[in-house]
């Protein structure tokens, strides 16, 4: 029997308990062997021994449980095998999967890229089944008797996998544990004077066999820490346990509720700052616990900056998927996976080249050249209708490259067109083109490693203090992929690499190794196992974090897991509660922060603590203390701000005398004079974005170009039926789309082309031909650019089509909309003598402006001009697509005259120095979609907030 098996109270420091049992009269402790569940307590144990001895010493052998099993497996039992990595295991499982007659997932998971996610989960759960140490017959009964789809095939995967593992000379964590458990009688630990296993809680059936075997040795000691559920865990251990009774003082505990994580960081920062100002020592006895990695960087930038540079230690893993290096690879793989032959989507290409790692690749010793180049390319692509581009097209566009060269003239750098083109090609070659040629996971890993090294050597990425940490983690991961059994697996579809990147690469962590005993500790919850701290701060103690949401991480159904004796969600919750309670109970002062909102609530563990706290308060104190939760609140000024008017100075007045007015600029002024000032005087424009899909503006431009090209050959002549040839129309549409999107249209471009062709064919058949049959039509102009001067002011516009029908001139503007409401004049509201009615009653000044332009340019009276829209987006195309400025029963020219007076009145007002640029009078209508909200301070007026 073991010399001693003890359960200590949670208030007792486990490290001190171990040190108190050691014979420190000698400085040679190598005959001591100590095992913890994890690695971190070893650092604290060595420090504690050093402080007790006070001189140099030879430390004991200290293991984590996994390294202890590996030590027994290799050095004590003389077994030799290569440990199997998860990706290798997934590759072996895929071999089993392909050979199985009845497969998990049925006909799904036919390729490795489809299978890998399932394979990684399956490996974890097969390991659990092996550790459950279930007799083969019972395993077959339980699995075979449950109807969970094809889950009964699990036994075949189980047997096939571990057979291949054994035949290949591999081992897994579970097979090593099982081998040790089966050979406990062969283990000789007599060379150690004392073996201590300390701080264990959850144990599988195999673990229990190992513990029971170790318990037969007199030099073995177990030390457990009392906590929720421990006694139930120890029931199957076949040896007596002695509990040390001790009064359990309650730590001073503070609870903080915040509306969001920012409030938690703010409160934590305040506490740390206060402690520093009070002269408190923040050493390794103080810990900030981060149950999730999301709060790590806010803590680094807002809390740890209060401490000296060497005043803290971070020891937890940070998910690779949250690092900029992963974002760089994710953007790159997205470019490759969405490519169609040599053409790539402009939206994903722009996202990749504007990533900080890409756009800061050095040109010689300069990075501003590359930034200028890629922002010029972004602007170039945003100005095109096409949603795709080829790399060759960008590299060979001399006008684009020359524009960048001109923009860099005068800079202290030698840039010419050929060097810049070579630089762009080099970047494309080492990134996009290289990854377009990958055939296997080995290719992917090799290229990824080379690219990380390239970015490190040729970009400013290495100036980021954490880049090397991310790069090392990525390179190590890619090295493992290169030598794995899955290295030669090929992905037929490039999209599969996106899935692989996200499911496997992104799930890995980049460690934040530090000096474990230096300053304030920042740890994950699991890293606090077996350690005691005086002062504890725990962030995000919300129920979806501690104990955590149930989610879908487990592959096997809960009923089946329970039948097999595997860990369930309930067991995981118990594990979380155990370590959380140990952390809290072992401290002197505890601060627990959590978010309470409509989406998050406090942890059930906090609720239990508050309930217990209230039980011990007297009635009077209970009523005054309420819950004992401090609520973090913000002082936010929520007053609605309305923008002020901007007066006109001499410079503005001089500029306006040379200004050329268009219908669009006057429409803008009519709705909001302040917006006119920002857009046309300050020339502040929204940045053109590279479109992911063809939007309505693009469709409108395409339709205008197609119709312009179709009618241009008949300018200056009478329109004839043979001029309305549908084949010629289709060619015009095809040429416009080919120029915009290339010859091989696919996806949205192909569908839009078909829709536009069909709609314009109906336009010719159901509107244009019947109209031509009814009366002769002379085409006078197409896409006519007209500029005139009136009352010393310049006006301009481009008219889609001008034609004569009888003795009337028709000014036509195409709209792809089906509704003319936004353009119409609301005659009942319009009052020429009351300018206050104009903004609300005039939809657009476009048609009267065109009438004014053509009337003065051609010398035609307004009475003979008929301005109208053709609504090409209507479902039914006929004569009703005409939307005229004036109804046919209205006196010709009356609306023209009135609205032209409005135009001239607006122009005079704009040029009146005494009238400032005022904000709109209708914020509800004009502010929600405005691009200048941030300047005006009207973000509160967003759509849906009224």
């Amino acid at each position: 029997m073991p010399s001693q098996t003890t359960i200590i109270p949670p208030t007792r420091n486990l490290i001190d308990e171990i040190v108190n049992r050691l014979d420190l009269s000698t400085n040679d402790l190598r005959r001591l062997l100590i095992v913890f569940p994890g690695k971190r307590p070893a650092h604290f144990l060595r420090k504690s021994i050093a402080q007790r001895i006070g001189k140099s010493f030879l430390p004991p052998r200290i293991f984590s449980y996994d390294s202890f099993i590996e030590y027994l497996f290799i050095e004590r039992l003389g077994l030799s095998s290569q440990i199997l990595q998860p990706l290798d295991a997934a590759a072996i499982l895929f071999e089993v999967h392909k050979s199985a007659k009845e497969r998990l997932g049925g006909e799904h998971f036919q390729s490795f890229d489809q299978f890998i996610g399932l394979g990684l989960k399956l490996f974890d759960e097969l390991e659990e089944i092996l550790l459950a140490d279930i007799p083969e017959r019972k395993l077959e009964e339980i699995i075979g008797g449950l109807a969970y789809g094809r889950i009964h095939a699990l036994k075949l995967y189980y047997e096939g996998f571990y057979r291949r593992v054994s035949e290949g000379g591999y081992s897994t964590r579970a097979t090593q544990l099982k081998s040790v458990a089966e050979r406990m009688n062969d283990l000789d630990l007599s060379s150690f004077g004392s073996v201590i296993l300390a701080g264990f809680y959850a144990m599988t059936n195999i673990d229990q066999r190992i513990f029971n075997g170790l318990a037969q040795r007199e030099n073995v000691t177990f030390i457990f820490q009392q906590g929720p559920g421990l006694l139930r865990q120890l029931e199957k251990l076949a040896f007596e346990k002695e509990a040390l009774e001790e009064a359990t003082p309650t730590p001073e505990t503070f609870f903080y509720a915040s509306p969001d994580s920012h409030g938690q960081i703010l409160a934590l920062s305040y506490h740390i700052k206060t402690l520093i100002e009070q002269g408190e020592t923040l050493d390794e006895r103080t810990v900030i616990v981060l149950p999730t990695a999301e709060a790590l960087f806010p803590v680094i930038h807002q809390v740890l900056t209060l401490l000296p540079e060497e005043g803290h230690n971070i020891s937890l893993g940070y998910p690779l998927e949250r690092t900029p290096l992963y974002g760089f690879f994710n953007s790159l793989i997205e470019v490759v996976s969405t490519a169609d032959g040599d053409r790539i989507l402009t939206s994903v290409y722009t996202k990749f080249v504007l990533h900080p790692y890409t756009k800061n690749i050095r040109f010689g010793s300069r990075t501003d050249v590359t930034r200028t180049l890629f922002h010029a390319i972004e602007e170039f692509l945003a100005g095109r209708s096409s949603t795709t581009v080829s790399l060759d097209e960008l590299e060979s566009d001399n006008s684009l490259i020359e524009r960048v060269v001109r923009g860099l003239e005068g800079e202290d750098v030698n840039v010419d067109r050929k060097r810049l083109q070579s630089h762009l090609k080099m970047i494309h070659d080492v990134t996009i083109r290289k990854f377009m040629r990958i055939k296997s996971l080995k290719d992917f890993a090799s290229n990824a490693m080379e690219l990380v090294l390239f970015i490190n050597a040729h970009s400013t990425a290495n100036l980021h203090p954490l880049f090397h940490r991310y790069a090392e983690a990525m390179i190590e991961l890619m090295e493992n992929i290169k030598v794995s059994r899955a290295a030669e697996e090929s992905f037929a579809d490039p999209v599969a690499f996106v899935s692989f990147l996200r499911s496997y690469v992104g799930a890995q962590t980049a460690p934040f190794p530090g000096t474990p005993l230096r300053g304030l500790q920042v740890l994950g919850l699991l890293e606090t196992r077996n350690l005691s701290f005086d002062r504890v701060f725990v962030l995000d103690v919300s129920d979806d974090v501690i104990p955590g949401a149930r989610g879908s991480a487990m592959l096997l159904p809960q009923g089946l897991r329970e039948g097999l004796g595997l860990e369930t969600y309930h067991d995981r919750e118990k594990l979380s509660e155990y370590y959380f309670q140990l952390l809290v109970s072992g401290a002197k002062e505890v601060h627990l922060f959590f978010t309470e909102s409509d989406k998050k609530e406090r942890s059930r563990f906090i609720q239990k603590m508050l309930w217990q706290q209230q039980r011990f308060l007297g009635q009077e104190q209970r009523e005054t203390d309420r819950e004992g939760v401090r609520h973090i609140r913000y002082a936010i000024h929520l007053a609605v701000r309305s923008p002020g008017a901007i007066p006109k100075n001499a410079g503005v007045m001089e500029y306006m005398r040379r200004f050329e007015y268009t219908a669009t600029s006057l429409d803008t002024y009519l709705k909001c004079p302040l917006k006119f000032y920002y857009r046309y005087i300050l020339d502040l424009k929204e940045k053109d974005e590279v479109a992911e899909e063809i939007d309505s503006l693009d469709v409108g431009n395409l339709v205008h170009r197609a119709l312009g090209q179709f009618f241009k050959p008949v300018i200056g002549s009478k329109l004839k039926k043979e001029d309305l040839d549908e084949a010629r129309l289709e060619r015009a549409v095809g040429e416009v789309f080919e120029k915009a999107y290339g010859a091989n249209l696919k996806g949205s471009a192909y569908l839009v082309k078909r829709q536009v062709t069909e709609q314009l064919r109906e336009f010719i058949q159901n509107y244009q031909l019947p109209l031509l049959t009814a009366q002769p039509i002379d085409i006078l102009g197409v896409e006519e650019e007209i500029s005139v001067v009136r009352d010393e002011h310049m006006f301009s516009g481009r008219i889609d089509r001008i034609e004569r029908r009888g003795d009337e001139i028709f000014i036509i503007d195409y709209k792809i909309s089906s509704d003319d409401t936004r353009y119409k004049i609301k005659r009942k509201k319009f009052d020429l003598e009351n300018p206050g009615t104009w903004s609300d009653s005039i939809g657009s000044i476009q048609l009267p402006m065109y009438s004014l332009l053509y009337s003065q340019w051609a010398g035609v009276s307004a009475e003979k001009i008929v301005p109208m829209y053709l609504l090409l987006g209507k479902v039914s195309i006929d004569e009703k697509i005409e939307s005229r400025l004036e109804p046919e029963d209205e006196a010709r020219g009356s609306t023209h005259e009135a609205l032209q007076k409005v135009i001239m009145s607006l122009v005079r007002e704009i040029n009146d120095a005494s009238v400032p640029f005022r904000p709109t009078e209708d914020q509800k209508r004009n502010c929600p979609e405005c691009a200048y909200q941030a300047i005006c301070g009207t973000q509160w007026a967003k759509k849906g907030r009224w």
Side-chain angles (χ1 to χ4, degrees), residues 45-292:
L45 179 60
R46 292 190 193 96
K47 179 178 180 180
S48 182
I49 294 173
Q51 290 173 336
R52 296 281 186 96
I53 293 180
K55 58 183 178 180
S56 61
F57 66 99
L58 297 172
R61 298 289 300 270
I62 307 175
F63 293 101
S64 67
Y65 184 58
D66 285 347
S67 61
F68 175 60
I69 296 300
E70 189 174 346
Y71 164 75
L72 296 179
F73 183 82
I74 297 172
E75 296 192 28
R76 289 290 167 166
L77 293 175
L79 302 175
S80 177
S81 63
Q82 179 183 342
I83 189 74
L84 202 64
Q85 299 300 320
L87 191 59
D88 297 304
I92 293 176
L93 279 167
F94 186 54
E95 295 172 10
V96 177
H97 178 75
K98 288 189 295 184
S99 64
K101 292 182 179 179
E102 192 163 6
R103 301 175 179 177
L104 292 174
E107 297 305 313
H108 300 288
F109 313 119
Q110 296 287 340
S111 60
F112 182 71
D113 55 278
Q114 295 171 332
F115 178 81
I116 185 170
L118 172 65
L120 293 171
K121 283 188 176 183
L122 189 56
F123 171 57
D124 288 340
E125 305 211 6
L126 292 182
E127 288 280 273
E128 285 190 75
I129 293 174
L130 184 60
L131 292 175
D133 201 22
I134 304 168
E136 184 176 342
R137 184 174 177 181
K138 183 180 178 182
L139 178 63
E140 189 169 348
E141 287 176 0
I142 293 173
I143 294 179
L146 293 173
Y148 290 102
R150 297 172 183 260
I151 208 71
H152 57 271
L154 184 65
K155 185 173 181 292
L156 299 177
Y157 285 79
Y158 177 81
E159 293 172 345
F161 173 70
Y162 286 110
R163 183 176 62 253
R164 282 173 166 81
V165 168
S166 177
E167 292 169 352
Y170 296 107
S171 67
T172 68
R173 179 179 181 273
T175 60
Q176 287 190 356
L177 279 159
K178 187 175 178 64
S179 295
V180 170
E182 290 173 344
R183 293 169 174 79
M184 287 303 297
N185 293 334
D186 301 331
L187 277 176
D188 181 11
L189 298 178
S190 60
S191 60
F192 293 102
S194 179
V195 177
I196 299 174
L197 287 86
F200 287 85
Y201 172 73
M203 286 165 281
T204 65
N205 291 340
I206 289 287
D207 295 329
Q208 291 164 11
R209 285 175 61 182
I210 293 173
F211 276 43
N212 284 329
L214 290 172
Q216 305 307 312
R217 292 157 173 80
E218 293 188 0
N219 63 339
V220 174
T221 298
F222 293 95
I223 304 175
F224 300 99
Q225 290 180 285
Q226 180 60 274
L230 177 70
L231 294 179
R232 186 173 65 87
Q233 291 288 332
L234 302 183
E235 285 176 356
K236 294 183 180 180
L237 294 182
F239 51 84
E240 295 180 3
K241 281 75 69 175
E242 176 189 351
L244 293 182
E245 295 296 332
E246 183 178 284
T248 305
T250 303
E252 192 174 12
T253 307
F254 304 92
F255 304 92
Y256 306 88
S258 170
D260 53 35
S261 58
H262 302 291
Q264 296 184 43
I265 299 295
L266 179 66
L268 173 62
S269 177
Y270 170 79
H271 279 293
I272 298 298
K273 183 179 180 181
T274 301
L275 290 170
I276 293 171
E277 292 172 348
Q278 292 173 351
E280 294 280 351
T281 301
L282 298 179
D283 55 16
E284 73 276 6
R285 304 300 304 162
T286 298
V287 65
I288 297 173
V289 181
L290 306 179
T292 62

Side-chain angles (χ1 to χ4, degrees), residues 189 333 584 627 669 868:
L189 298 178
I333 296 301
V584 170
E627 276 194 316
Y669 185 85
M868 69 179 181

